[in-house]
Structures are given as C-alpha cells and as structure tokens.
C-alpha cells in the first residue's frame, strides 16, 4: 500500500470518526450518559487516592456502625462503621471491571459464533445454531450461578460466568447481519476471484458487522453489571473485594433495610441504576448512529 | 391557441449544497401531446418531472413558473395540491417492485387513490373494486390478478398495475418515470403497447422519461434531450432518432445500435465511423473460430428446489467458447442465463453434466478450483454492488492478487488499472467506490479481474445498469482487451443490440435451453428459431420504426 493511499484512508477514518462523534453529540441524552460515565470511571480509577484502603479497614475505623449521613461521612457508615461512600467508590472498580471484561468475552464468542452461523451452511450451521439456541433459552442467571459454584471463587470466575452466559443475543444479531452481507454481489465477486472462507469472513464480513458489535457492547456492559451485582448479592462473588452487589448483601444480612438505615441500601442500588442507565443511553445513541435505519427522520 | 396542459417557464431547481439539477428549462406540453424526456442519470429529467406535483424533497429550491392546466403549481394551497395530485396529473413511478406495498393485494392499492379522491363517484368499497376491475382491464389484466400480491406478479404485470393506478382518477396528464427500465425486451414491448393504446384511445397527455431514445420514440411524438439540467435538443421523435444534431443526442442514439447496421458492428460508441469496421470484425471473428476451446459445457443441467417444486434452470445445455472469442448469451430474464454463468464459474453445483476448462473437467477440490478461478474471471451486473463500499480501489483490485498470494502486488495493480483505462492509476488508488462514476466502478471490477491475467471473462449484463455513453466505453474496453490481450468473453445480456455491437457468436437461451447458436450476422439477420424472431421483433429500435 502506498503512503499516500494510507494517508488518505487514515484521513477518511478520521473524518468518519468525527462524523460519529458529531452525530452522538446531537443526542443530548447520550452526551449526558457519556459524561456521567467518564466521571464514574475517573472516580473509580482515583479510588485509592480519594479513599485510601486503610480508612475502610474495620480495625481502624473510628466511626460507630450505621451512622446516618453527615459532614464527615456523606453517605453515612455501614454496620461495621466503614464509610459508605468509600465502599461505593471501591465497589465501582469491581463492577466496572467485571462489566467490561465479561462483555469483552461475550462479544468475542458472540461475534465468532454469529459469523460462523451466518457464513457456513449445512451441518456446521445446524450445530452452531443449536448451540446459540441452547444459550438463548437457558436462563443465564441460573447458568451463571451453576458456573460460579463449580469454578473456584474469585473475580475471574464471575467474569467467565457472565461472559459465557451473555453472548447468545449478540450472536443472533451478528448472524442476521452476516446473512445480509453474504448476499451482496461483492461476496460473489470475491468468491469468483478464488477467495476462501477465511478471506471472506476476515475482509468483508467482520468489518461490516463491527459497528453492530460496538453498539451491542455498550448495551451488554449494562446487563453484565446487573448480573455481577446479582451474583454478589446471592453470595457468589469474591468475598475479598467490595462490590455493589456485596454491599447490598451485607445490607440484607444485617437488616439495614428493615432497621431504617436507608443510606446503606439506597446508595449501591442507585449507583447500579445510574451506571446501567448511562451505558444504555450511550448504547442506544451509538446504535442509531451506526445503523442509519433506526435513525429518526 | 388553447392553453397548454403543462408549462415550465424558465425553471431552475437547486438542491441544498448549491447543486443545480435543472438549469433554466422552458417547455410546453400541449393538450393530448406526448413528450419524451431523454438524458443520462443525473441530468435532471426526473427532478423536472417531479416538480410538477411538488414531490421534490424539502431541500430543493424552485425558481421560475410551473403551470399545470393554467394554474401555478407553486401558488397552490396544500389542500388544492392534494386534489390536483392524481386527479389532474398522475405519476407512474420507476421500479414497480418498490412502489407497491408487498403485503397488500394490488386491487386495494389501486382502490386507495379512488378512496382518497373519488368518494362521490365511488362511495363504497364494492363500487371502488368494480372500478378497479375496469382499470385492470384497460391495461390488459384480468380481474383475478387484482387479488394477487405484488410478488405473485411478473415485472411487466406490476408495471401495468402501476399504470392502472395512475389512470384511476382519469387524470389529464400522466408522467411516466422510466416505466420500462429493469424490464426485459419482451415485457418492455408489452408495457409500451399498453401506454400507446391508452394515449390513442383516451387522448391523454403523456410525459415519459427514459434514457433510451428508441423507447421514447415508440410512444412519443416529440423528444426533448437534456444534459446537465439544460435542454440541448428537441424535435420530432423520428428526426431525433435518425438525424440527431447535438453531440450528446448522437451519443445516446449510438448507444442503442440498429441491428444490421454495419457501422455499429464491432465498433462502439463515439469512434463509430461508417466504413472501417466491418472487415476488421470479420477477420477477428474468423481467427477466433480457429482458436481452441477454452471453456466447454457438456449436457449441463441445473435444478433448483423451491417449496417442494423442482425448477429446471438450465436444461441439457452444450456450449463451447473458443480462446479470444466473444460470445453473447442472449435471453429474457428467467431464462437461466445467470445460472449457466454461475455454474461455469463453479459458484453453482450442476445437477448433471460437466464444465470443462482447457479440456479438463472442473475440479471439486477447493485448491484446484482456486487455480481455475485465476484463469476465468467474473464481471457482475451492478458495479455499485459488486465492490465492497469500504474498500479502496487499490484494495479491490489487489484482492485477487492477495488471495492467490502473487508477488509484485503494486506493479500488478498499476498494470491492471492501466489496462482498464483508469489512468493515471495512482490517482485512483485511494478512492472508494462511492466517489467514482458508474463507468469507473465497472472499470475497477474489470481491473480486478485483469489483475490475475485471466484467459477468459464471464460478464453478466456488464452494462445493463450503466448510462448510455458509459455503456459504449465499457463495450469498447472489452473489444480493446480482446485485441490487445486476446481475452475472450462470455457476455450475458438481454440486449440484442449489444450482441450486434461486440460479439462474434450469439447463443439464444429460452427456458433453460439453447435454441439458437451461430455467428452474429447469421443469427441476428436470418433468425431460424421462432423465439429469436420474437426477440428481434421487440427490439426498441424496431418499435420506433413500426
């Protein structure tokens, strides 16, 4: 490839990227979602600075348990006297980490299976489709619970359990897109030039399904975070790390909700709602931008 | 003098972004007149026609006056405009497939116009459906066809439904926008007959748009030729067709050659000059006949199974293509031409029979098939769709080179682009398909095929979706390649004029069988089979003369 050619391609990609950014900027809800997300991610990264771990050490806390919100503890304290805001900050790290990495796993599996189900015919397609159908109909929560009990405890187990159970939707969407792409005459031309399966999938199908996968990613992150909280709430999470789900579990175990310590129940709950909402807002906008047929006219 | 039905007075139409589609057009259509608007895509003919009913997108700015039946269109209120649409002027849209609702029976769609505009004459749905039956009869369709869904009708029948719809409210003026484009010759002749009859019997005023002068001449008295938003020539249909004066009209006329005219035999487009060509063509033809057979099809049959029914697309076909020979495979749509081509390329498995390349049967193993595909290349119908919109020209041409792992990628790409007359090649490297014109895109597809140094080309309707002047360029390129590289081609087409233009031999296919096969002059000037005769009878250039 010539340097001038590459420069031109880069320039066009930049232009396309700028166009996508402009389009997203025209959705006010997406801008709000993206801005909030950015703030949350920055706060999660800065958690060790803002709230050093030793201030959450049960042996060193000075506050009493279940203190209501005050100037010293903006969101009050938990039953062991730890600062709820601090727990929330540290919990966001686990939630976001699990959300992103589980989604990455789900996307890789979903895209691969989706393209395989769309591209191949005959036995391969039948087998792949049945596998996708299996994961679609099995309730993912139940499967994730089974997986996290069977595997050793820890954050990576949660990531794997969520990743393996939430790719089937993506696979279906990718398969549908693959099928439309495969009917295009340029695929026929490519075949007539002598192209094999690998070339067609890699050069033509994958770039065409990528925008769809990107939009799907943001939507899946939200549901992965919910699933993580659920698993932690059910006591299947990593007991050594904080997460929003485990905070809710502690709240339930210590009867915080019934005792009127609302700050300990509401804080992680609202945090989950906000993060998932942000991802959904951005994801919807991204979907509309990358898939012009959904765009309002 | 009576008032004209339709009058454009110095009309200028500009789209957002300063794109001038129509540039100062003045035109009068008298009552009962039939006017054909000719020109290439993008010349503003459709924009001009749609402006009559204010059907243009909101971004269009119209200057000048458009007067319909003595009333200025721009001054009409919304309610008045709604009443005028369909009752005074109706449109037959192009692409009947896309203009009909696929999930409703066509009679209800025709009745829709009646329900909106003629509630007094046809108060209830029974009366409206009776009227629909009358309308369908006008366009030679039985009332039973009204109960069909669009996909159950053929292209020609759908187009006739569209015409019936336009006639529903007895309009004074009918605007037909490319009513026969995308229809094959036989069906085209039927639709033109229907339009002709209606104009004669009902004294309609007709404005018809087409890029094919011969089609316009078959229906219209007067032809107006447009280029870049301006009228460049107008006059009596016969005069425009036979003695065009403007250069652009000559180009349009030359694109649809008259079969039997030696000046358009094996020469294409603007360089067509009488005298020189005939002998040259005959001599290349005879050398080609002496050449060895590159491709051979022996007793080939291809069946499709759809909803439990067997359809035989290709029925015991034998065919031989010699080295450096251009063979035209002619037939109506649905005759199995494309299936035959795909089977020859190994893209479709034959039910029985064989395809031989250089005397050896087509391999089934992938590796061997890949080697075969380097030798025989495919050029598809629609260049816009046969290039990946995300790939640059360089990537599109280099695709085959990369698949086959050949070295000197850059040199090969430059050579292929130069051969396809895209010069200087470096200028096109970084372009993506949407930045190119239709003709340039088809050249890129051809360059992609040439990059592998093939010995034979299979081209499926290579110019069917291209403009008239570009059509000539691409056909000239095929002839040029044959002259320079000895590259033969199997050209699939429904256009007998194209066969006359470039082919050595014509093969006529009908319902999966080959009904006639022989040298161009012999088949086209002295057809033996009834089907060939019927195809020749409906060639537009003949329609215009009858």
């Amino acid at each position: 490839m010539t340097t001038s050619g590459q420069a031109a391609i880069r320039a066009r990609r930049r232009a396309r990227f700028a166009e996508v950014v402009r389009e997203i900027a025209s959705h006010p809800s997406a801008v709000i979602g993206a801005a909030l997300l950015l703030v949350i991610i920055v706060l999660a990264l800065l958690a060790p600075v803002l709230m050093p771990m030793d201030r959450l050490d049960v042996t060193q806390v000075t506050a009493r348990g279940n203190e209501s919100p005050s100037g010293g503890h903006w969101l009050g304290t938990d039953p062991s006297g730890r600062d709820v805001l601090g727990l929330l900050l540290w919990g966001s790290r686990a939630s976001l980490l699990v959300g992103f990495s589980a989604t990455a796993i789900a996307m890789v599996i979903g895209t691969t299976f989706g393209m395989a189900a769309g591209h191949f015919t005959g036995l391969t397609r039948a087998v792949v489709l049945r596998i996708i159908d299996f994961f679609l109909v099995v309730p993912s929560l139940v499967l994730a619970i089974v997986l996290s009990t069977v595997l050793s405890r820890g954050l990576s187990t949660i990531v794997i359990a969520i990743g393996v159970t939430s790719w089937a939707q993506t696979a279906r969407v990718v398969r549908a897109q693959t099928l439309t792409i495969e009917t295009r005459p340029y695929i026929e031309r490519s075949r007539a030039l002598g192209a094999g399966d690998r070339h067609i999938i890699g050069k033509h199908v994958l770039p065409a399904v990528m925008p769809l996968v990107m939009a799907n990613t943001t939507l899946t992150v939200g549901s992965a975070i919910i699933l993580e909280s659920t698993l932690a709430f059910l006591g299947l999470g990593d007991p050594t790390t904080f997460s929003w789900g485990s905070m809710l579990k502690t709240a339930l175990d210590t009867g915080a909700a019934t005792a009127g310590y609302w700050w300990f129940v509401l804080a992680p709950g609202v945090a989950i709602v906000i993060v998932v909402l942000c991802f959904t807002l951005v994801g919807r906008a991204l979907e509309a931008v990358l898939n012009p047929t959904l765009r309002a006219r | 003098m009576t008032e004209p039905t339709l009058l454009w007075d110095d009309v200028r139409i500009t789209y957002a972004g300063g794109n001038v589609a129509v540039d100062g057009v003045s035109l009068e259509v008298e009552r009962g007149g039939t006017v054909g608007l000719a020109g290439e895509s993008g010349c503003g003919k459709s924009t001009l026609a749609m402006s009559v009913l204010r059907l243009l997108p909101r971004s269009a700015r119209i200057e000048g006056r458009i007067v319909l039946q003595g009333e200025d269109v721009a001054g009409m209120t919304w309610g008045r405009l709604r009443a005028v649409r369909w009752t005074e002027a109706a449109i037959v849209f192009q692409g009947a497939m896309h203009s009909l609702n696929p999930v409703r029976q066509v009679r209800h769609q025709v009745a829709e116009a009646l329900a909106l505009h003629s509630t007094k004459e046809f108060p209830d749905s029974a009366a409206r459906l009776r009227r629909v039956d009358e309308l369908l009869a006008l366009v030679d369709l039985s009332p039973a066809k009204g109960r069909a869904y669009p996909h159950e009708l053929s292209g020609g029948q759908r187009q006739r439904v569209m015409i019936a719809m336009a006639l529903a409210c007895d309009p004074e003026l009918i605007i037909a926008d490319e009513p026969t484009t995308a229809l094959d010759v036989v069906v085209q002749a039927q639709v033109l007959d229907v339009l002709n009859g209606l104009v004669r019997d009902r004294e309609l005023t007709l404005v018809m748009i087409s890029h094919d002068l011969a089609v316009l001449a078959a229906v219209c008295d007067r032809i107006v030729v447009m280029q870049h938003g301006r009228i460049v020539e107008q006059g009596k249909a016969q005069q425009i067709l036979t003695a065009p004066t403007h250069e652009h009209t000559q180009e349009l006329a030359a694109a649809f050659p008259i079969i039997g005219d030696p000046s358009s035999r094996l020469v294409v487009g603007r360089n067509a000059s009488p005298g020189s060509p005939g002998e040259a063509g005959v001599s290349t033809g005879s050398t080609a006949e002496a050449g060895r057979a590159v491709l051979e099809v022996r007793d080939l049959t291809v069946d499709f199974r759809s909803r439990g029914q067997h359809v035989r697309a290709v029925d015991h076909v034998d065919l031989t293509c010699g080295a450096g020979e251009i063979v035209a495979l002619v037939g109506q749509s649905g005759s199995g031409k494309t299936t035959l081509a795909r089977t020859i390329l190994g893209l479709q498995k034959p039910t029985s029979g064989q395809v031989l390349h250089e005397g050896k049967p087509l391999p089934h193993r992938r590796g061997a098939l890949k080697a075969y595909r380097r030798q025989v290349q495919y050029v598809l119908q629609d260049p816009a769709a046969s290039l990946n919109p995300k790939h640059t020209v360089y990537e599109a041409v280099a695709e085959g080179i990369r698949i086959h792992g050949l070295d000197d990628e850059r040199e090969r790409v430059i050579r292929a682009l130069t051969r396809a007359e895209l010069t200087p090649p470096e200028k096109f490297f970084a372009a993506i398909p949407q930045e190119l014109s239709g003709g340039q895109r088809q050249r890129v597809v051809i360059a992609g095929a040439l990059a592998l140094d093939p010995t034979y080309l299979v081209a499926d309707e290579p110019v069917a979706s291209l403009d008239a002047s570009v059509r000539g360029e691409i056909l000239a390129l095929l002839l040029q390649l044959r002259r320079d590289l000895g590259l033969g081609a199997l050209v699939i087409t429904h256009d007998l004029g194209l066969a006359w233009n470039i082919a050595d031999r014509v093969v006529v296919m009908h319902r999966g069988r080959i009904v006639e096969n022989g040298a161009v002059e012999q088949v086209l000037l002295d057809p033996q089979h009834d089907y060939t005769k019927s195809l020749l009878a409906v060639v537009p250039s003949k329609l215009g003369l009858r």
Side-chain angles (χ1 to χ4, degrees), chain A residues 149-206:
Chain A
T149 15
V150 172
L151 302 172
S152 67
R153 278 194 153 198
L155 218 52
S156 54
T157 305
I158 299 278
V159 168
I160 292 170
I162 295 174
V164 167
T165 51
S166 50
W167 56 270
Q169 294 288 347
T170 312
R172 274 286 170 177
V173 174
V174 168
R175 169 169 182 263
Q177 178 74 0
T178 307
L179 286 177
T180 35
I181 297 291
E182 295 261 338
T183 59
R184 301 278 157 83
Y186 58 78
I187 301 288
E188 183 104 329
R189 168 178 177 265
S190 199
R191 267 189 221 282
L193 283 169
D197 295 327
R198 206 175 51 182
H199 178 89
I200 289 177
I201 289 182
K203 288 276 174 190
H204 294 289
V205 178
L206 186 62

Side-chain angles (χ1 to χ4, degrees), chain A:
Chain A
M1 175 72 57
T2 56
T3 45
S4 66
Q6 266 169 352
I9 292 167
R10 264 203 302 277
R12 198 160 46 235
R13 286 206 183 123
R14 261 203 305 277
R16 169 81 185 130
F17 182 72
E19 193 186 314
V20 169
V21 170
R22 249 201 323 281
E23 193 68 43
I24 290 176
S26 68
H27 291 71
S29 58
V31 177
I32 295 170
L36 263 177
L37 268 185
L38 203 67
V39 170
I40 292 168
I41 291 172
V42 167
L43 283 178
L45 289 175
L46 290 180
V49 183
L50 297 174
M51 189 65 64
M53 200 52 168
D54 47 345
R55 281 174 61 187
L56 293 177
D57 194 335
V58 208
T59 55
Q60 292 175 33
V61 292
T62 50
R64 285 179 296 110
N66 292 329
E67 253 181 52
S68 56
S70 64
H73 302 283
W74 291 357
L75 288 177
T77 60
D78 80 339
S80 345
R82 291 175 296 189
D83 185 55
V84 173
L85 187 62
L87 290 176
L88 213 55
L89 274 181
W90 279 91
S92 68
R93 289 167 76 97
S95 290
L96 289 176
L97 181 70
V98 171
F100 282 123
S101 32
T103 304
I105 293 180
M107 286 304 132
V108 171
I109 304 179
T111 311
T112 317
F113 273 72
M115 288 196 305
H119 178 79
F120 294 105
T121 50
L123 189 65
T124 323
R125 174 177 21 213
V127 170
V128 173
L129 269 182
R130 289 298 84 77
I131 295 175
I132 295 174
D133 285 346
F134 172 80
F135 278 94
L136 263 183
V137 293
V138 169
S140 55
L141 179 62
V142 177
L143 191 61
I145 290 172
V146 172
L147 278 175
S148 45
T149 15
V150 172
L151 302 172
S152 67
R153 278 194 153 198
L155 218 52
S156 54
T157 305
I158 299 278
V159 168
I160 292 170
I162 295 174
V164 167
T165 51
S166 50
W167 56 270
Q169 294 288 347
T170 312
R172 274 286 170 177
V173 174
V174 168
R175 169 169 182 263
Q177 178 74 0
T178 307
L179 286 177
T180 35
I181 297 291
E182 295 261 338
T183 59
R184 301 278 157 83
Y186 58 78
I187 301 288
E188 183 104 329
R189 168 178 177 265
S190 199
R191 267 189 221 282
L193 283 169
D197 295 327
R198 206 175 51 182
H199 178 89
I200 289 177
I201 289 182
K203 288 276 174 190
H204 294 289
V205 178
L206 186 62
V209 300
M210 242 11 232
L212 225 97
V213 172
M214 292 315 291
N216 239 293
T217 304
T218 38
L219 294 175
T220 310
V221 171
S223 54
I225 288 176
I226 293 187
L227 203 52
E228 188 271 339
S229 308
T230 314
L231 287 177
F233 178 72
L234 292 174
L236 296 163
D238 182 359
T240 58
T241 50
F242 301 114
S243 91
W244 294 338
S246 65
M247 285 169 73
L248 285 172
K249 178 178 162 52
T250 320
L252 183 79
D253 288 348
T254 56
T258 43
Y261 309 136
W262 54 268
W263 53 90
F264 193 40
V265 184
L266 221 52
V270 169
I272 293 172
V273 170
I274 288 177
V275 170
V276 173
L277 184 68
C278 287
F279 275 112
T280 312
L281 288 178
V282 176
R284 287 276 168 237
L286 207 57
E287 209 173 26
V289 171
L290 298 175
N291 187 357
T293 50
L294 291 176
R295 222 176 276 175
R297 262 179 266 263

Side-chain angles (χ1 to χ4, degrees), chain B residues 477-514:
Chain B
L477 177 63
L478 287 178
L479 283 176
Q480 171 91 24
L481 290 172
R482 198 261 292 271
R483 201 158 45 238
D484 297 351
L485 307 172
L487 188 63
L490 175 66
V491 181
I492 297 170
T493 179
H494 63 264
D495 177 4
L496 288 167
L498 186 153
W500 177 261
N501 260 170
I502 65 165
D504 301 314
R505 207 145 56 79
V506 179
V507 178
V508 182
M509 206 165 168
H510 181 48
R511 296 199 182 143
R513 288 171 184 274
I514 287 181

